[in-house]
Amino acid sequence: MARPRKPLLSRDRIVEAAGALVDSEGLEAVSTRRLAAELGVSGPSLYNHFRNKDEILDAVADSVSAQVDLSMFDEDDGRDWRAALHDWAVSYRAALAAHPHIVPVLAQGPGRRPAGLRVADAAFGGMVRAGWPPAQATYIGALMRYFVTGSALGSFARGFVDDEAAYDPADYPHLGQAHLLADRRQKVDEGAFETGLRAILDGLALQYEQRTPAATVRRTPKRS
């Protein structure tokens, strides 16, 4: 009986293995030698698909970007720009929060990554179609990336120890409940994200209403 053949090495297999390593052990765990061992292949065989470790991490980052929902920016989607930005930010953060160790790579920007560029293109196009000037649409895209990636880089609540004795009221009179934060991490972090997101959207809504009449006229469709 013939021995079962090992699955052929492919970009997808390499990215999947690298992503699992990043998720479980962090960026430092990824090396071509370690990946080759995980995949049961020789190290040089990886170079048939990627030139170096950085290209592999780029591909892992792009696989995370591909998980972000962009449907709210479709031309036939019924959501207004504010709802679209909100739903996109929630999906964006969820994708990054599921893979926090790759966030530093994503925070560098899309570079040449196809999925990352599609994210930027969809958000920019959605804002311009909604009536934002191109320059302002660019600022909004940058602002949202700063906010989402920053929120996914770490947990505010996890930064507090669960030892009540660490918060002596003589020294920290307002931190009497701080030892409870770690156990309520998800609620605190998601609540903070929603609070910040609403504040951003409220501020943008004011700017949207204060656009110059000339800009509004230029974007009004001509009647036949």
Side-chain angles (χ1 to χ4, degrees):
M1 180 179 295
R3 293 181 178 178
R5 296 175 59 187
K6 291 183 179 179
L8 294 175
L9 189 62
S10 65
R11 287 180 63 91
D12 287 346
R13 282 193 68 211
I14 295 169
V15 171
E16 183 179 357
L21 273 178
V22 172
D23 284 346
S24 62
E25 301 180 36
L27 292 170
E28 298 77 11
V30 179
S31 68
T32 52
R33 179 179 296 181
R34 176 74 183 277
L35 278 175
E38 293 285 334
L39 292 164
V41 300
S42 63
S45 63
L46 298 179
Y47 297 116
N48 293 325
H49 302 276
F50 295 97
R51 289 183 297 180
N52 50 45
K53 170 185 169 179
D54 288 341
E55 279 197 356
I56 295 172
L57 291 177
D58 259 0
V60 172
D62 214 37
S63 71
V64 174
S65 293
Q67 299 171 24
V68 180
D69 181 16
L70 302 176
S71 63
M72 64 288 297
F73 296 126
D74 291 345
E75 291 191 35
D76 58 353
D77 189 272
R79 281 168 280 193
D80 63 15
W81 69 266
R82 178 172 176 144
L85 269 186
H86 175 276
D87 295 349
W88 172 58
V90 170
S91 175
Y92 194 177
R93 181 182 181 274
L96 270 58
H99 308 280
H101 292 151
I102 199 65
V103 173
V105 178
L106 284 161
Q108 297 170 9
R112 297 178 181 271
R113 302 175 202 136
L117 289 170
R118 283 193 290 272
V119 170
D121 180 74
F124 177 80
M127 294 303 97
V128 170
R129 280 196 305 276
W132 286 99
Q136 195 67 20
T138 300
Y139 302 153
I140 291 171
L143 165 65
M144 298 304 290
R145 183 164 69 83
Y146 299 152
F147 177 64
V148 173
T149 56
S151 72
L153 275 172
S155 165
F156 171 83
R158 189 179 288 164
F160 293 84
V161 299
D162 61 359
D163 179 7
E164 187 173 3
Y167 308 102
D168 187 330
D171 297 320
Y172 315 108
H174 307 297
L175 296 181
Q177 302 295 307
H179 64 287
L180 302 175
L181 289 174
D183 285 340
R184 302 173 184 176
R185 179 184 62 81
Q186 183 174 356
K187 181 178 180 180
V188 172
D189 292 345
E190 290 182 355
F193 178 77
E194 279 290 342
T195 299
L197 182 55
R198 285 196 301 270
I200 288 172
L201 295 174
D202 286 346
L204 288 175
L206 289 175
Q207 293 184 40
Y208 190 79
E209 293 169 2
Q210 294 168 1
R211 289 171 303 159
T212 63
T216 303
V217 169
R218 282 198 301 271
R219 297 190 179 279
T220 301
K222 295 181 180 180
R223 293 183 180 180
S224 56

